[in-house]
Every structure is written in C-alpha cells, then in structure tokens.
Amino acid sequence: MHYPEPISKLIDAFTRLPGVGPKTAGRLAFHVLRMKEEDVLDFAKALVNVKRNLHYCSVCCNITDIDPCRICQDKSRDASVICVVQEPKDLVAMERTREFDGYYHVLHGAISPMEGIGPDQIHIAELLKRLGDEGVQEMILATNPNIEGEATAMYLSRLVKGFGLKVTRIAHGLPVGGDLEYADEVTLTKALEGRREI
Amino acid sequence: MHYPEPISKLIDAFTRLPGVGPKTAGRLAFHVLRMKEEDVLDFAKALVNVKRNLHYCSVCCNITDIDPCRICQDKSRDASVICVVQEPKDLVAMERTREFDGYYHVLHGAISPMEGIGPDQIHIAELLKRLGDEGVQEMILATNPNIEGEATAMYLSRLVKGFGLKVTRIAHGLPVGGDLEYADEVTLTKALEGRREI
C-alpha cells in the first residue's frame, strides 16, 4: 500500500531538498494538500520563476533579475574596493551592516579539494578580470572563517600578488555578545593576535 | 538591501510550510536556484498535481486519484469490518502491518473543542451512512491515543450504540522494543489493564 501517485511524487520532490527526510517530506506534502489552490499555484510559480528569471550578474556574479545587478549599477559606491564573498547570502549579510559601500564579487563556493572543487569551479576568472580593469585598490577577502574559506582567501591573496593591490582579510575574534568562557581556543588565539590598542 | 524579487517570493512560499523558518526557507530557496531546471519544473508540477488530481474517496474519504479509491474498489477485502482512522497517513501505517484486510474510514481530523473542531467538521456523517448500509459488523476505532483521539473514539462509540455493532478500540500498552523503565504511568496503567493470559 502506497500513497496515490500525485502525493508520492510530491513527497519525492520534497525529499530531494536538503535537510528534508521522508517523514518531513510527508508532513509537507499533506500540508500542501490542505493549502488553498491559489497558494499552491503561487508556490509553484515562485519555484519556476527563481529558475527562469534569475541569473548571475555579468559583473559581480551575484544572483540578479536585472543585468548588471542593482549594486553594480549603483554609481555612488566606492569603485576602489571589491569585497569577495562566497555566496549571495554572505553579500546580503555584509549589506545589512550598512558599513560597506564598495562593490562585491560572489564566488559561489570556496576551494575545497575534499569535495573536488578547484579554483576553476568558482568564479575566480571573472574576479581577476575585474581586478585588472577597474582601478581597484583594495580587495577584501570575506570568505567564511573555516578551512575552505581560509584556503580560498589564501589562494586569492597569492594569485593577485603581482597586481599591486592591497589585500585584506576580515578579522577573526570573539563575536559581539559572545562569552569568553565558551570561546574555542582557535578563536581566542585569533582574538589575541588581532588585539588593538584602545 | 534585499534579495531579488523572485528569490524572496520563493523564500516567502517556503516559510508558509509548517516547521520552516526564514533561515531554512532561505537555504531551500538557494538550493532550488542550484537545481536543474527540469527538476524544478517537476517539483512545481508535483505541487499543482497534488492539488488538482487528488480528492477524497466518495466512500471512505481517503485521498485518492481515482474514485472510489483502490482499497474501496478491492472486492477481496472483508466488508464486515471498518477501521476508523484520523488521517490518510494513519491508514498507510495500518496497511503496513499487513494484518488488516477490512475497509477503512478516514475522518480527516479528530474532535477537538480546544481548536473548535466539532463532530460536523470531520467526516463522521459519511461514516454513519456506511455503517447503516453495508452489512458492517465491527467498527475498529484506530484514532490516536491522545485526548482528541480518545474523545473522538468515545463520541463515535456512543453515537452508534443503537446500531447493533461490535465497536472495538485498538489496544494501549507498551510499544514493542520499548523500555518499561521509561514508560509513563498512564501507558503502564493501560498495559496492566489490558494484560492477557499467555
């Protein structure tokens, strides 16, 4: 005994999403069954639109519905700085600080030999082209503070050595609101190393 | 700074699913962005099909793509027993036992005064019609072993008192593979009450 085909197909589709197991998928599918038809249609349309109407910005590789993206079109920003991030989400996190008014470059990943991702699989070529062209003076490496992110930052900093660029890495240290007691040794070591006079 | 509209719409749609918060919704939406276009189209189609091609079986109220559903069409089953469950998922759980070969009735809910669900909001009228019609001799109440399920079972058993039916309730007790030490008092009391000679 199985579910009727339409529902088992939907359960399959949900199961393919990350972090969704068969039980959750079943729960979600039955929820969809109880949703209003127009809401389900909107959901389906949103899925297709994301795939059809979004692409990568030809300049910074961020996802966008217009090309170049809104940030790259914004002439009021500081063209001398490019902040390199791994994912579109990281760009949004940076924008939330309201402290950065340069441009971005989104790599869409990080170098990870373990997962077979080399420099050619992420958008480094586009970045190099921009660094040569646009009168950029500083590249801020804002990749994640983990092995892959560090490796990518290290790789990029070596790659652009001859470009005469200032290359910076965002600081490691204690998160604000964090607790010294619960900080791991590596973070604490980095926080000590990065100490500044006040 | 926000995400482009297509992606924020999809994040909204995911957020409306049960147990999906904004962070998970973002993760899922970006996953969809990376999926193959044909897989996304299949997903969208599955969503719409569930809503368009599934309805309730006119006999047992289970969800089905044909009417009557496959179980109600199966003449080899025992027509003298109807097993009453709350949800289609419960029916599937019962079928997995391969121990029951009667017919089912799916209530799609349980009586719950707390949530304002009375006997008229669940499919009891359809059940009563069947009990009168079809030469049914036994009704097994397989609603959930919680307050709402018990209340529904109690309500149904009283409702059919004049029908001359055998009304049974599935047993409460220790789950197989469970641990006496961790059983709650109510379950253990029920297990004692329901003890059988071996």
Side-chain angles (χ1 to χ4, degrees):
Chain A
M1 167 65 199
H2 293 290
Y3 293 115
E5 201 195 317
I7 199 130
S8 54
K9 273 202 174 164
L10 183 58
I11 292 176
D12 280 355
F14 274 123
T15 315
R16 270 183 232 119
L17 298 176
V20 178
K23 289 244 165 179
T24 309
R27 200 159 42 90
L28 294 176
F30 277 99
H31 178 84
V32 169
L33 194 65
R34 279 195 217 96
M35 276 164 70
K36 276 191 233 145
E37 176 151 350
E38 59 180 271
D39 289 343
V40 176
L41 290 180
D42 282 349
F43 188 0
K45 223 180 287 168
L47 276 170
V48 176
N49 278 344
V50 151
K51 207 57 206 175
R52 293 230 170 118
N53 300 345
L54 283 185
H55 37 84
Y56 291 158
C57 169
S58 59
V59 181
C60 73
C61 301
N62 188 21
I63 48 160
T64 177
D65 46 352
I66 51 173
D67 191 31
C69 73
R70 284 176 186 81
I71 292 179
C72 290
Q73 277 186 21
D74 182 353
K75 296 295 167 218
S76 71
R77 300 183 79 112
D78 178 0
S80 69
V81 197
I82 288 188
C83 175
V84 179
V85 294
Q86 287 180 209
E87 300 292 343
K89 284 185 235 185
D90 303 334
L91 185 155
V92 172
M94 290 293 292
E95 280 295 281
R96 268 201 301 263
T97 66
R98 295 165 192 270
E99 290 293 324
F100 179 71
D101 75 334
Y103 292 96
Y104 292 94
H105 191 84
V106 182
L107 295 174
H108 290 280
I111 296 170
S112 169
M114 293 279 285
E115 293 171 45
I117 300 171
D120 298 341
Q121 268 93 51
I122 60 179
H123 296 256
I124 289 180
E126 291 89 338
L127 173 63
L128 290 184
K129 209 175 126 251
R130 293 177 71 189
L131 293 178
D133 285 359
E134 296 171 25
V136 180
Q137 288 160 28
E138 180 177 357
M139 170 169 77
I140 303 177
L141 295 168
T143 53
N144 282 334
N146 54 24
I147 296 179
E148 289 82 14
E150 292 296 343
T152 310
M154 194 60 71
Y155 178 86
L156 284 175
S157 67
R158 286 190 190 159
L159 201 64
V160 302
K161 221 159 208 174
F163 284 49
L165 271 180
K166 185 173 163 194
V167 178
T168 55
R169 177 89 175 102
I170 50 168
H172 291 318
L174 291 176
V176 177
D179 215 323
L180 211 88
E181 181 182 359
Y182 301 119
D184 62 290
E185 301 88 322
V186 186
T187 301
L188 213 48
T189 309
K190 295 273 184 191
L192 258 177
E193 282 173 10
R195 70 188 181 276
R196 297 201 296 182
E197 216 167 318
I198 52 169
Chain B
M1 166 66 197
H2 292 291
Y3 293 114
E5 201 196 318
I7 199 129
S8 54
K9 273 201 175 165
L10 183 58
I11 292 176
D12 279 354
F14 274 123
T15 315
R16 270 182 233 121
L17 297 176
V20 178
K23 288 243 164 178
T24 309
R27 201 158 43 90
L28 294 176
F30 277 99
H31 178 84
V32 170
L33 195 65
R34 278 195 219 97
M35 276 164 70
K36 276 191 232 147
E37 176 152 351
E38 58 180 270
D39 289 343
V40 176
L41 290 180
D42 282 349
F43 188 1
K45 223 180 287 168
L47 276 170
V48 177
N49 277 344
V50 151
K51 207 56 206 177
R52 293 228 171 121
N53 299 344
L54 283 185
H55 37 85
Y56 292 157
C57 170
S58 60
V59 180
C60 72
C61 301
N62 188 20
I63 48 159
T64 177
D65 46 352
I66 51 173
D67 192 32
C69 73
R70 283 177 188 82
I71 293 179
C72 290
Q73 276 186 20
D74 182 353
K75 295 296 166 219
S76 71
R77 300 183 79 112
D78 179 0
S80 70
V81 195
I82 287 187
C83 175
V84 180
V85 295
Q86 288 181 208
E87 301 291 344
K89 285 186 235 184
D90 303 334
L91 184 154
V92 173
M94 289 293 293
E95 281 294 281
R96 269 200 300 264
T97 67
R98 294 167 192 270
E99 291 293 325
F100 179 72
D101 74 335
Y103 292 95
Y104 292 94
H105 192 84
V106 183
L107 295 174
H108 291 280
I111 296 170
S112 170
M114 293 280 284
E115 293 170 46
I117 300 171
D120 298 340
Q121 268 93 53
I122 60 179
H123 297 254
I124 290 180
E126 291 89 339
L127 173 63
L128 291 185
K129 210 174 126 250
R130 293 177 71 190
L131 294 178
D133 284 359
E134 298 171 24
V136 181
Q137 288 160 27
E138 180 176 358
M139 172 169 75
I140 303 177
L141 296 169
T143 52
N144 282 335
N146 54 24
I147 295 180
E148 289 82 13
E150 292 296 343
T152 309
M154 195 61 72
Y155 178 85
L156 284 175
S157 67
R158 285 190 191 160
L159 201 63
V160 301
K161 222 160 208 172
F163 284 49
L165 271 180
K166 185 173 162 192
V167 178
T168 55
R169 177 90 176 101
I170 50 168
H172 292 318
L174 290 175
V176 177
D179 215 325
L180 212 88
E181 181 182 358
Y182 301 120
D184 62 290
E185 299 89 324
V186 186
T187 302
L188 213 48
T189 309
K190 296 272 184 193
L192 259 178
E193 282 173 9
R195 69 187 181 276
R196 297 200 298 181
E197 216 169 316
I198 52 169

